[in-house]
Amino acid sequence: MTDKNLLEIRGLKIEGRRDGKVTEIIRGVDITLGEGEVLGLIGESGAGKSTLGLASMGYTRAGCVISEGDIRFRGENLRNLDAAAQRRLRGRRIAYVAQSAAAAFNPAHRLGAQVTEVPVLRSLMTQPQADREAISLFEEVQLPSPVAFGLRYPHQVSGGQLQRAMTAMAMICKPNLIIFDEPTTALDVTTQIEVLTAIKKIVRDHGTAAIYITHDLAVVAQIADRIKVLRYGEEVEEAETARMMAAPRENYTRSLWSVRSFRKQAHTDAQGQPLATIENVIAHYGELKVLDDVSVELHRGRTLAVVGESGSGKTTLARALCGLLPSTSGQVTLSGTSLAPSFRGRRRDQLKSIQMIYQMADTALNARQTVGEIIARPAELFLGKTKPQSFDRARELLDLIGMEPGTFLHRYPGELSGGQKQRVSIARALAAKPELIVCDEVTSALDQIVAEGILKLLDQIQTELGTAFMYITHDLDTVRAIADDVAVMHRGKLVRYGPKEKVLTPPFDPYTELLLSSVPEMRCGWLDDVIESRGQTATA
């Protein structure tokens, strides 16, 4: 290991061991990282990105074992440290920022107490010192009201604010290395810029080294000094960011660069009676108005994309359509018939006609049921099929989504990849033969190759079955790829609505212009240009 290298990994091999089976996850990968340097790790799902990032801390998830290789941090081989020594290192010298801050924070404790916990427990600071340091970091990552912010609970702040709070929590012990594991994947484009700006500033100002794991190529171009591409646990190539973006050497890397070429097939126009309407709907969470007089239409064979930042009312609109959140006023109709505000008051045939695919397949699928049972249940419930008939329906749908029934019918969700779980969620939604499917951010947590596969599958389903889709997303590239109509939401109101070509063509209202200007571009320096144009401060 050279003097300038903070982290050096050589010949790392990691195996997954379960039920007597051994699977190679990382296959002889090397990493060299200098003080203050940022390395981007990219690749599709299953490439080993997160496993490699965690291994940089000397850590593996349950069922995984480091079988070969050295992991040297400041010259010390982490594999030779006992568990107590490794725990002392983590959080202090090496920190980790998880993909989902909402899942990582304890909902029962205030944010300030969680951010200051490690330095106080490790006797690095007194509680008053840690409180002052937390406030300073909250200010540095541009959180609102830094002095009072730590008094809030996780549910009282936005997703983007939680991710910035987690970055502050990672920084409070002044670590030499931070592992960022997909920290902006689930964020809307405007919030993503806030988080990226905070990360970029704090890494540069403090001279902290970082490993930035992502499947978003435009994002990694703004953060990383070098990029390493992984596939099936092996390195494909590595280069400085500018060279990698300009001229990737390997075919696989070039395929990642060009994956967003998908565009949906032409479908029906919006003539005739709509399949479903949402008319002048107002909805509340308690006293808080979350939908304010919203009206949209959905037509057979067409996709309505609903876009906007976190808290704009996108998912609430879908919940009002499905009857999961009864509207305060207004109405929802299906085939010209007014639906009860709550799903509890709707007929079974009406429930059958509107199905939903949830954002997180991990939590939407019952871990104790097989794939066959998960897909068969709606066929039993809504179509009145016998159990053997419902399993025939499950096999038919597995064929449709490109998953071999003989291989997957009796598997459990824990045995599937992220993309496979989302395909099973799609099959479950189709099992009842709905006329309308609501897709709630169904590709936001997927890498671009898997996401493109999901979009193609949805397009195929729409072409063959004439299904109407409401597609909720914060990804405007996806909107351009799949939408026929677009509804732009902001603070519960509909600010722009119509055919895609009209909505995405200037002149724009100020909010739509902000959204469109916040979509990361595939070029180095884009974030710096945006920061400068908006008058934000970040050290390049």
Side-chain angles (χ1 to χ4, degrees), residues 317-472:
L317 185 65
R319 289 171 61 83
L321 172 65
C322 296
L324 298 174
L325 177 68
S327 57
T328 309
S329 64
Q331 71 169 354
V332 175
T333 70
L334 179 70
S335 299
T337 300
S338 182
L339 299 180
S342 172
F343 75 92
R344 298 181 188 279
R346 297 181 183 181
R347 302 192 310 265
R348 181 164 293 190
D349 64 302
Q350 294 170 336
L351 295 173
K352 163 192 172 300
S353 294
I354 304 177
Q355 296 291 308
M356 191 165 186
I357 305 168
Y358 296 90
Q359 178 176 358
M360 299 302 295
D362 278 329
T363 57
L365 300 180
N366 189 328
R368 296 186 175 185
Q369 291 184 339
T370 65
V371 167
E373 290 169 334
I374 288 168
I375 300 173
R377 178 56 180 155
E380 285 186 72
L381 181 64
F382 292 115
L383 303 182
K385 291 184 178 294
T386 64
K387 189 170 288 292
Q389 289 172 333
S390 68
F391 270 81
D392 286 342
R393 175 72 173 151
R395 292 184 183 91
E396 172 190 327
L397 289 168
L398 283 171
D399 268 332
L400 178 64
I401 64 172
M403 294 174 67
E404 170 58 43
T407 302
F408 292 101
L409 191 70
H410 300 293
R411 288 192 183 180
Y412 289 89
E415 300 174 276
L416 307 179
S417 71
Q420 289 168 343
K421 290 175 188 175
Q422 200 59 281
R423 285 174 178 263
V424 171
S425 295
I426 293 170
R428 179 176 62 181
L430 288 170
K433 298 185 177 179
E435 298 176 275
L436 168 61
I437 296 178
V438 178
C439 304
D440 190 359
E441 300 273 16
V442 296
T443 59
S444 66
L446 304 177
D447 68 73
Q448 291 179 320
I449 289 177
V450 176
E452 185 183 36
I454 295 296
L455 295 180
K456 286 180 176 177
L457 174 60
L458 293 174
D459 185 54
Q460 174 193 345
I461 289 166
Q462 190 169 64
T463 301
E464 294 179 3
L465 305 179
T467 311
F469 286 111
M470 174 185 279
Y471 197 101
I472 299 165

Side-chain angles (χ1 to χ4, degrees), residues 189-232:
V189 289
T190 55
T191 306
Q192 178 175 255
I193 283 189
E194 296 173 0
V195 175
L196 288 175
T197 300
I199 290 172
K200 190 176 179 74
K201 181 180 190 301
I202 211 161
V203 165
R204 300 304 188 192
D205 287 358
H206 291 260
T208 307
I211 294 175
Y212 196 97
I213 299 166
T214 184
H215 60 250
D216 192 323
L217 305 173
V219 165
V220 80
Q222 315 312 316
I223 296 292
D225 300 299
R226 288 182 293 120
I227 295 175
K228 183 187 288 289
V229 182
L230 298 177
R231 189 185 193 195
Y232 303 143

Side-chain angles (χ1 to χ4, degrees), residues 140 142 189-205 219 221-223 514 517-521 523-540:
E140 199 166 350
Q142 301 178 31
V189 289
T190 55
T191 306
Q192 178 175 255
I193 283 189
E194 296 173 0
V195 175
L196 288 175
T197 300
I199 290 172
K200 190 176 179 74
K201 181 180 190 301
I202 211 161
V203 165
R204 300 304 188 192
D205 287 358
V219 165
Q222 315 312 316
I223 296 292
L514 175 65
S517 68
S518 299
V519 179
E521 296 178 8
R523 64 177 177 86
C524 298
W526 171 84
L527 180 61
D528 293 328
D529 292 344
V530 171
I531 292 169
E532 183 178 357
S533 68
R534 297 183 184 180
Q536 299 181 35
T537 57
T539 303

Side-chain angles (χ1 to χ4, degrees), residues 60-289:
T60 59
R61 292 191 175 102
C64 296
V65 176
I66 299 173
S67 57
E68 290 185 30
D70 291 337
I71 306 166
R72 295 187 177 274
F73 178 76
R74 287 186 153 184
E76 187 170 32
N77 194 340
L78 301 188
R79 294 191 66 194
N80 295 336
L81 299 181
D82 61 27
Q86 288 187 347
R87 284 196 298 271
R88 287 193 296 270
L89 186 74
R90 296 170 192 152
R92 181 176 180 179
R93 300 269 63 89
I94 307 176
Y96 177 76
V97 176
Q99 177 175 347
S100 174
F105 278 104
N106 188 324
H109 296 280
R110 298 181 192 272
L111 289 167
Q114 298 186 65
V115 169
T116 60
E117 181 179 15
V118 171
V120 173
L121 284 177
R122 301 284 175 84
S123 300
L124 301 176
M125 304 176 192
T126 64
Q127 187 65 57
Q129 288 173 331
D131 289 340
R132 288 193 294 272
E133 182 66 20
I135 291 169
S136 175
L137 287 167
F138 291 159
E139 185 174 10
E140 199 166 350
V141 298
Q142 301 178 31
L143 285 167
S145 306
V147 175
F149 185 84
L151 300 176
R152 299 177 183 177
Y153 289 92
H155 71 274
Q156 294 176 313
V157 303
S158 71
Q161 289 170 350
L162 269 186
Q163 285 293 37
R164 282 179 280 166
M166 180 171 280
T167 300
M169 183 163 63
M171 285 298 307
I172 197 165
C173 292
K174 297 179 172 58
N176 305 101
L177 171 64
I178 300 180
I179 315 299
F180 292 100
D181 193 353
E182 302 267 17
T184 64
T185 292
L187 302 179
D188 62 75
V189 289
T190 55
T191 306
Q192 178 175 255
I193 283 189
E194 296 173 0
V195 175
L196 288 175
T197 300
I199 290 172
K200 190 176 179 74
K201 181 180 190 301
I202 211 161
V203 165
R204 300 304 188 192
D205 287 358
H206 291 260
T208 307
I211 294 175
Y212 196 97
I213 299 166
T214 184
H215 60 250
D216 192 323
L217 305 173
V219 165
V220 80
Q222 315 312 316
I223 296 292
D225 300 299
R226 288 182 293 120
I227 295 175
K228 183 187 288 289
V229 182
L230 298 177
R231 189 185 193 195
Y232 303 143
E234 297 180 324
E235 178 181 321
V236 176
E237 64 175 304
E238 180 179 338
E240 292 184 356
T241 299
R243 192 201 69 75
M244 181 75 82
M245 297 299 291
R249 185 178 68 246
E250 300 296 327
N251 289 334
Y252 174 70
T253 308
R254 288 193 287 272
S255 75
L256 291 176
W257 263 232
S258 60
V259 75
R260 281 301 181 90
S261 59
F262 168 73
R263 290 293 182 269
K264 69 174 289 182
Q265 301 175 37
H267 292 138
T268 61
D269 60 28
Q271 302 300 315
Q273 292 297 314
L275 171 65
T277 65
I278 297 171
E279 301 175 23
N280 307 113
V281 163
I282 296 174
H284 291 76
Y285 285 124
E287 298 298 318
L288 179 64
K289 183 186 288 186

